[in-house]
Amino acid sequence: MNEIHQQILSILLFCPFVGAIVLALMPRQIAREFALAVASVNFLFSLHLWRYWGQMSDGATGFKFEQSVPWLPQFGLTYHVGVDGLSVFLVLLTTFLTPLAMLGAWNVAKRAKEFMVCLLLLEAGLVGVFCALDVLLFYMFWEGVLIPAFILILGWGGAKRNYAAIKFFLYTLVGGLLMWVGILYVYLPGKSGSFDYVRFKEAANALDAADPNGIGTLLFAAFALAFAIKTPLFPLHSWQPDAYDEAPTPAAVILAGVMTKMGTYGLIRFALPFFPNAATAAAPLFVALSLAAIVYGALVAIRQTNLKRLIAYSSLSHLGFIVLGIFAALLIRPTGDVAAQSANLAISGATIQMVSHGLSTAALFLLLAFLFERRASSEMSDFGGLAAPMPRYTVLFWVALFSSIGLPGLSGFIGEYLILQGSMAANFWYALVAATGVIWGAVYMLRMFRRVAFGEVSEANRTLPDVNTREWVAVGLALAASLWIGVAPQSFLNIINPNTNKVVPRAAQSTLMAPSLAQSAMEAPAQSTSDVPAAH
Amino acid sequence: MTLEQLMQSFNLPSIAPEAILSIAALVVMLAGAFLGEAAQRRALPILALAGTLATAVSVAGLWNRNLTFGAPATAVFVADNFALFFKWIFLFGLAVTIAISTRFLQARSGDRHTVLGEYYALLMLSTVGMMMVSGARDLLVVFLGIETLSIALYVLAGFARARLMSNEAALKYFLLGAFATGFLLYGIALTYYATGSTLLPVIKENVARGVTGDGSGIRSLPVLYGGVALLLIGLGFKAALVPFHQWTPDVYEGSPTPVTAFMAVGAKAAAFAAIMRVFPDTLSSPEVLSQWFNIVLVIAVLTMTIGNVVALSQDSLKRMLAYSSIAHAGYLLMGVLAAGNASRSGDTSAISNAHASVLMYLAAYALMNMGAFAVLVWLETTRRSVPQSTLPRAEDAGPEEVNTFDSEDANLRVEELRGLASRQPLAAAALTIFLFSLAGVPPTVGFFGKLFIFTEAFRQNLVGLVLVGVLNTVISAYYYLRPVIEMWAPGDSADMKTPDATAPIVRVNADGTALASPAPRGSAGALTTGLSPAVAVTVVLCAIAVFGTIVVQNTALDWARQAAPSSAATTALSNP
């Protein structure tokens, strides 16, 4: 069993990769079925993480299911993978959404085989991103996932796909390369001499502590810029609406559902723990930008006439929430346990919101994919009154919408609530401005719903078939997961919470467990006193 | 003197690879003279590959033995690991070139009676020249090697005799090359005057002594600097560094594509072998080093930037790859500069790392560039001739280039790749991989090459240069992506009807020749000979290697580091 524990992450990584290669050599007729089988089996494998989570103790580095194999020992590069509470749900999200995206792409008209190959490669790369514990390995996955994503947009995208794809690629590449320079700087001898997470972090912390305003800030900027572009954070978001709009809708499920989380995950795994002082200094800027993203994204979303672009801008707004939670946690003054609890709360909220947004966006994009399949359009003006011909579709749409808005009982509520509570501890006004984003969210979502579901049924829409079983299953699963998080958040928070003080090290100074607002409200973080990262 | 004594005193095994390859070249040439044409087509490539393989085996046998040709103190030629690592690269380039030449020559030369024996023999002799350069421990041997490789290449560039562009390429290359040779030779002469020797270790010692009155050190500093500048021009021409790169696009575009691939990899690597030996390894005294260092720094920035920026506007795939190869020479110069800084500091492990980074980059470059050109050969041999009128003309193609042969041979344009992923998925996937690798996207071998070289430059405090390199990587991504965009874009309606759904990618006929999937816009009377299986196999192997080698990077990096310090060549050897 121990061996499986060690290798499970590699299995999750290589199963879709090998599957993609085999698929490429297979005849076309059974391509979809094979790809779906590979992705589903991979999801079942990934449940191993969930099943045995409680039985595993953290390794010396604070991660579970670790595997470390020297790759380029002369160069300090290790194949080192592992997960903790911050990343495990993103791995699960990836393995969960990939088969759903395949179901959504079931009827992709042309070159279905290549499409599925790209999706499987994307899955492998994303699993790699979320479990790499070697900074260079992480960077390789980070850039590597661009290739299948780029080809997905190009090969199956809309009319302006070339523009969208190259914009998407170059934006990410610029950020990634600057991060690479930052990585090399920390790596160079006298500093880390290794890319392994723990040693790299020590070196980065030392640089940050020595000169937080000079080199520390530059390095933090190099990392944070890459992540902010990927998230995307206002005002670096201009690639995003184009990419989502032009991407084939089933691929947008993964692009919006999982790939955007690469940026926010990078912040909590790398940028903040590496350069805590510089990050704290820059936190007001990031909070301001995330508040701007929340409001701006929501306001622009209200004006959209294209459904995909609307979801893109709503993503901008929702991801602003996540970034707000992450950076607000830094701004909570370290004056005791309540502050530490609140900081951890904000991080927990951001983590759960990543998963939650992944699920609700995926559901929405799947629903748009079904519409696109029927009408070859994502323009709001082409629809209306769908409640009559497609009642089941309308129900699914309704639930997905509320999950996205953050209705209590669905996952969006948990994340946004924790983030708001955490940022309230930092500054009342942060929470107030952010809360308006929730209101705006209701405005644009309900407006969209009214336009799509109610009103006159046009001739073209009168005979649209309702969702079939396949579609029902795909969206239903995503929404069920969202409901599960919403109803029973504690089982998720129990896994996330012990790791939140990895992100905001100052919060870890808390040694006493005081009853707090946080606990009474959410029964949230049972904070362990063992200070995991500081132990090394 | 018996043979055994001769072997003893000259240490003949040290030149075994060159000797074996020369003999193999002669055998191939003779076989070409006596065999009929059909037999030639079958036998000669196999003979040539066998010779290459035998040479590779002899190179492997010499590894770690650090033999010198003659007495260690005065030997003009060494077989140290540095030279041997380069020989691997040359032999890889040679083998791939042989493999992708088979059908191409017949198809595109416009000449049915190409003399195959000569072709393969010239390729092999040119490789002998490259191998001489890599082992040179004397400026005159550098010169001899460069001339050997160049003269063969002049002929090869014009090998498609019936094509005007090929003739133009040969003439241009020859005239400019001869001119550059003059610079090189004059540089050697001036250096000889200034330091009293052409032997690199002696030059190094004398340069290190500085200007002395008694003639034991530098005789005249201005003359030395003049000589170094001329050496830089001569070698820079061969390596296609800006501003000595003007010949490159025309020659690369006009030459038969396999020859272009051979030139872009082999000749460039040989020039870098000489640059490494002469500049960071020999001219390493702080005073002299600071003189050439800044000039090479400027050249590196110019080479990267101009190569990449001009490549942005190219429509011809081959010309784009030509400019991209110029840009890659700029990245390589970063490694040369890192080695220079390292040898200034005298830190042996830093010197070794910097050398290793150049070697690793060259190996990666050879792999992905050969692969890209192999795909180009694939596409050219399977392309049916397209009526000239349907193709947009290149702006740089003047009216004088329009003639019967050229109209069949117009170079592949980027737009022609549209929908390739539907028509020939294997070729499209392979080209995509090579282009991503050239752009340095992980996890390809090109990424690792850049990683090593940027790291070493960073380690040697060339931070500004690294940033320029990073910016250039972004620029280069744009033009490497253009063909990818065309390939993966859904083709026009005609393409969509191509029933590619279940058809095998390559159909193999009874006689063993393979036919590619039909090109969509075929026209009657097209000259097409079909895809050679050797090309397809080469492409697939290279594509696998671009990913596969990252698993064995470990070993390769060890080899490169063993190859690197190379004190054997640059300091007077202490006898074992």
Side-chain angles (χ1 to χ4, degrees):
Chain A
M1 210 55 188
N2 246 345
E3 271 185 18
I4 295 183
H5 287 328
Q6 269 193 15
Q7 287 165 1
I8 180 67
L9 288 174
S10 297
I11 293 172
L12 295 183
L13 214 161
F14 284 105
C15 172
F17 182 72
V18 173
I21 293 173
V22 173
L23 178 58
L25 303 171
M26 275 176 52
R28 279 169 188 279
Q29 289 84 346
I30 54 164
R32 304 184 300 189
E33 288 80 1
F34 179 79
L36 182 65
V38 170
S40 308
V41 166
N42 207 40
F43 173 63
L44 293 180
F45 284 157
S46 70
L47 290 178
H48 179 98
L49 300 176
W50 179 264
R51 165 78 179 75
Y52 291 98
W53 189 265
Q55 302 176 17
M56 295 286 289
S57 53
D58 283 0
T61 48
F63 293 93
K64 297 179 200 262
F65 301 104
E66 267 184 283
Q67 187 184 18
S68 180
V69 181
W71 185 352
L72 269 178
Q74 316 95 317
F75 205 70
L77 173 61
T78 321
Y79 172 79
H80 185 184
V81 291
V83 285
D84 65 0
L86 300 176
S87 54
V88 65
F89 291 117
L90 293 170
V91 174
L92 286 166
L93 182 72
T94 312
T95 56
F96 180 57
L97 287 186
T98 305
L100 300 192
M102 285 172 174
L103 284 176
W106 203 246
N107 291 335
V108 61
K110 57 199 182 202
R111 293 185 289 175
K113 184 170 101 171
E114 284 85 349
F115 192 93
M116 296 295 172
V117 169
C118 285
L119 274 183
L120 284 175
L121 289 176
L122 199 58
E123 179 183 10
L126 286 166
V127 169
V129 164
F130 294 131
C131 63
L133 288 181
D134 181 288
V135 181
L136 193 64
L137 189 69
F138 166 77
Y139 173 77
M140 287 165 57
F141 284 119
W142 170 274
E143 294 277 11
V145 293
L146 278 181
I147 302 178
F150 179 72
I151 290 177
L152 276 174
I153 299 179
L154 268 185
W156 294 267
K160 285 195 320 182
R161 59 178 173 269
N162 290 2
Y163 171 75
I166 209 148
K167 197 167 166 185
F168 163 71
F169 195 97
L170 289 183
Y171 257 86
T172 316
L173 190 70
V174 170
L177 284 169
L178 288 177
M179 175 167 74
W180 186 29
V181 174
I183 291 174
L184 288 185
Y185 186 90
V186 180
Y187 158 76
L188 284 173
K191 294 158 197 143
S192 84
S194 160
F195 293 106
D196 197 69
Y197 184 75
V198 175
R199 282 182 62 192
F200 195 88
K201 189 173 145 194
E202 281 167 13
N205 285 341
L207 284 169
D208 180 54
D211 187 9
N213 296 321
I215 196 69
T217 301
L218 279 177
L219 288 171
F220 173 72
F223 278 78
L225 184 69
F227 299 142
I229 289 175
K230 194 79 191 179
T231 302
L233 185 62
F234 178 84
L236 301 166
H237 63 279
S238 90
W239 62 268
Q240 189 209 26
D242 287 323
Y244 288 7
D245 190 12
E246 298 304 323
T249 321
V253 170
I254 301 292
L255 285 186
V258 188
M259 276 188 89
T260 49
K261 310 308 176 295
M262 288 165 65
T264 45
Y265 169 75
L267 286 173
I268 61 169
R269 168 71 75 227
F270 298 102
L272 268 64
F274 284 175
F275 312 105
N277 297 324
T280 311
L285 172 69
F286 278 86
V287 167
L289 290 180
S290 59
L291 290 175
I294 292 173
V295 176
Y296 171 85
L299 292 179
V300 178
I302 293 179
R303 295 297 307 154
Q304 294 307 308
T305 57
N306 181 303
L307 293 167
K308 279 159 97 178
R309 288 188 96 86
L310 189 148
I311 307 288
Y313 281 106
S314 90
S315 283
L316 181 63
S317 182
H318 285 298
L319 285 157
F321 261 102
I322 299 175
V323 177
L324 171 70
I326 294 169
F327 279 95
L330 288 174
L331 291 177
I332 300 169
R333 290 172 192 283
T335 51
D337 300 323
V338 179
Q341 297 279 344
S342 303
N344 288 335
L345 213 60
I347 299 290
S348 292
T351 310
I352 210 120
Q353 179 68 0
M354 282 189 226
V355 181
S356 152
H357 176 254
L359 293 171
S360 60
T361 315
L364 283 170
F365 267 116
L366 280 170
L367 288 163
L368 294 192
F370 304 155
L371 275 194
F372 192 83
E373 217 173 83
R374 288 165 170 75
R375 285 288 317 271
S377 163
S378 300
E379 290 298 324
M380 236 184 258
S381 55
D382 285 340
F383 300 103
L386 290 187
M390 306 172 74
R392 276 186 294 167
Y393 181 91
T394 311
V395 171
L396 288 173
F397 203 70
W398 184 240
V399 179
L401 205 93
F402 274 118
S403 169
S404 177
I405 295 174
L407 192 77
L410 290 162
S411 60
F413 173 73
I414 307 297
E416 286 182 0
Y417 174 80
L418 291 174
I419 291 170
L420 284 178
Q421 196 183 349
S423 52
M424 180 89 79
N427 189 323
F428 169 75
W429 296 103
Y430 297 167
L432 186 73
V433 177
T436 63
V438 182
I439 300 168
W440 295 123
V443 172
Y444 61 74
M445 283 296 186
L446 294 175
R447 178 175 161 273
M448 172 176 83
F449 187 71
R450 182 172 57 80
R451 291 275 196 91
V452 172
F454 300 124
E456 285 284 296
V457 189
S458 72
E459 205 48 50
N461 292 332
R462 202 177 295 279
T463 55
L464 287 185
D466 205 348
V467 283
N468 57 29
T469 315
R470 165 180 64 83
E471 296 167 335
W472 175 233
V473 165
V475 178
L477 282 175
L479 293 178
S482 175
L483 187 69
W484 184 18
I485 298 180
V487 175
Q490 204 52 48
S491 52
F492 294 85
L493 289 171
N494 282 344
I495 292 178
I496 295 173
N497 283 334
N499 298 285
T500 45
N501 57 11
K502 286 180 182 169
V503 183
V504 191
R506 293 188 304 166
Q509 291 161 0
S510 131
T511 49
L512 289 168
M513 302 298 299
S516 70
L517 178 71
Q519 272 187 321
S520 55
M522 292 302 305
E523 300 176 40
Q527 208 37 257
S528 79
T529 49
S530 69
D531 176 10
V532 175
H536 303 279
Chain B
M1 201 182 240
T2 65
L3 184 66
E4 213 157 294
Q5 284 168 319
L6 201 71
M7 297 265 293
Q8 291 276 316
S9 65
F10 279 108
N11 221 344
L12 283 184
S14 64
I15 57 163
E18 286 80 2
I20 293 172
L21 196 58
S22 306
I23 292 167
L26 295 179
V27 170
V28 168
M29 193 150 59
L30 282 176
F34 289 108
L35 291 176
E37 191 169 332
Q40 278 188 31
R41 286 198 189 290
R42 274 199 304 277
L44 291 187
I46 293 169
L47 265 180
L49 280 176
T52 310
L53 188 68
T55 315
V57 170
S58 72
V59 171
L62 289 173
W63 188 256
N64 263 343
R65 289 175 63 190
N66 278 324
L67 297 182
T68 53
F69 184 61
T74 57
V76 294
F77 185 84
V78 287
D80 59 359
N81 287 350
F82 182 77
L84 297 175
F85 198 98
F86 269 101
K87 285 171 196 180
W88 286 116
I89 297 175
F90 301 144
L91 290 172
F92 167 76
L94 175 64
V96 172
T97 311
I98 292 169
I100 62 178
S101 294
T102 45
R103 200 138 327 168
F104 184 83
L105 280 177
Q106 171 195 13
R108 291 282 150 184
S109 64
D111 183 350
R112 299 289 177 175
H113 305 287
T114 310
V115 193
L116 282 181
E118 272 176 24
Y119 177 81
Y120 292 118
L122 282 168
L123 279 179
M124 293 160 89
L125 289 172
S126 182
T127 310
V128 172
M130 294 167 188
M131 288 163 55
M132 277 169 75
V133 176
S134 70
R137 203 161 160 254
D138 187 296
L139 285 176
L140 285 174
V141 179
V142 171
F143 173 74
L144 280 180
I146 283 194
E147 279 311 279
T148 312
L149 86 90
S150 299
I151 290 172
L153 280 181
Y154 299 148
V155 183
L156 287 168
F159 216 77
R161 276 175 298 187
R163 285 175 52 210
L164 268 189
M165 273 175 82
S166 183
N167 286 313
E168 182 195 332
L171 192 64
K172 210 172 234 171
Y173 194 24
F174 173 68
L175 287 179
L176 292 174
F179 204 56
T181 303
F183 279 105
L184 183 63
L185 204 48
Y186 201 46
I188 293 172
L190 291 183
T191 312
Y192 174 68
Y193 171 80
T195 61
S197 174
T198 55
L199 202 63
L200 293 176
V202 178
I203 295 178
K204 180 176 181 171
E205 272 171 24
N206 288 351
V207 165
R209 280 197 196 104
V211 183
T212 53
D214 58 357
S216 64
I218 302 171
R219 233 174 276 178
S220 156
L221 215 47
V223 173
L224 178 67
Y225 291 154
V228 171
L230 293 177
L231 283 176
L232 186 59
I233 295 174
L235 294 175
F237 176 87
K238 292 295 169 198
L241 308 178
V242 176
F244 317 115
H245 70 292
Q246 305 286 353
W247 58 278
T248 320
D250 289 340
V251 173
Y252 279 21
E253 195 180 19
S255 305
T257 308
V259 176
T260 310
F262 183 69
M263 264 195 273
V265 170
K268 196 180 288 276
F272 268 95
I275 288 174
M276 290 297 283
R277 291 257 199 224
V278 172
F279 287 88
D281 289 355
T282 301
L283 301 166
S284 56
S285 84
E287 189 188 4
V288 179
L289 190 132
S290 61
Q291 291 296 320
W292 62 261
F293 191 85
N294 290 332
I295 298 171
V296 174
L297 189 71
V298 172
I299 292 180
V301 172
L302 283 179
T303 307
M304 277 186 257
T305 313
I306 292 183
N308 278 325
V309 169
V310 182
L312 284 176
S313 62
Q314 299 306 315
D315 284 325
S316 154
L317 208 52
K318 214 163 153 188
R319 223 176 154 81
M320 189 199 89
L321 285 174
Y323 279 106
S324 112
S325 84
I326 293 174
H328 283 279
Y331 302 136
L332 281 162
L333 277 185
M334 285 172 70
V336 174
L337 288 166
N341 255 357
S343 64
R344 175 150 48 184
S345 71
D347 176 356
T348 41
S349 88
I351 296 175
S352 141
N353 283 339
H355 280 68
S357 74
V358 174
L359 291 174
M360 292 299 282
Y361 196 91
L362 268 170
Y365 168 79
L367 187 56
M368 58 204 183
N369 222 35
M370 285 318 269
F373 275 109
V375 177
L376 218 57
V377 170
W378 176 331
L379 298 180
E380 284 174 9
T381 45
T382 55
R383 175 175 72 156
R384 309 203 172 201
S385 79
V386 181
Q388 201 60 31
S389 53
T390 64
L391 278 181
R393 291 290 304 175
E395 283 147 50
D396 52 351
E400 76 276 5
E401 287 185 8
V402 181
N403 65 61
T404 27
F405 295 113
D406 263 357
S407 57
E408 265 179 7
D409 275 358
N411 279 313
L412 206 67
R413 318 226 144 261
V414 174
E415 309 90 82
E416 279 179 74
L417 295 175
R418 177 155 306 158
L420 189 75
S422 305
R423 301 199 302 272
Q424 300 185 18
L426 193 58
L431 187 55
T432 307
I433 289 171
F434 296 131
L435 290 172
F436 274 118
S437 180
L438 284 164
V441 178
T444 56
V445 72
F447 165 73
F448 278 93
K450 277 213 174 77
L451 175 68
F452 295 137
I453 232 161
F454 283 24
T455 308
E456 293 316 319
F458 218 139
R459 210 195 291 271
Q460 300 303 329
N461 295 320
L462 299 166
V463 181
L465 198 59
V466 172
L467 287 176
V468 173
V470 164
L471 285 179
N472 268 292
T473 306
V474 177
I475 299 174
S476 74
Y478 187 80
Y479 66 81
Y480 288 130
L481 292 185
R482 270 183 60 215
V484 177
I485 287 179
E486 293 291 346
M487 282 189 290
W488 289 90
D492 46 41
S493 54
D495 291 340
M496 295 319 293
K497 283 178 201 147
T498 311
D500 66 313
T502 53
I505 299 145
V506 178
R507 277 190 295 265
V508 180
N509 287 347
D511 62 344
T513 58
L515 285 175
S517 323
R521 286 179 291 187
S523 61
L527 174 70
T528 174
T529 50
L531 172 66
S532 150
V535 174
V537 169
T538 311
V539 165
V540 170
L541 287 180
C542 284
I544 292 173
V546 162
F547 284 114
T549 44
I550 66 175
V551 181
V552 293
Q553 284 287 343
N554 195 353
T555 320
L557 189 61
D558 269 341
W559 284 351
R561 289 201 175 163
Q562 287 170 22
S566 174
S567 49
T570 50
T571 57
L573 283 178
S574 51
N575 279 320

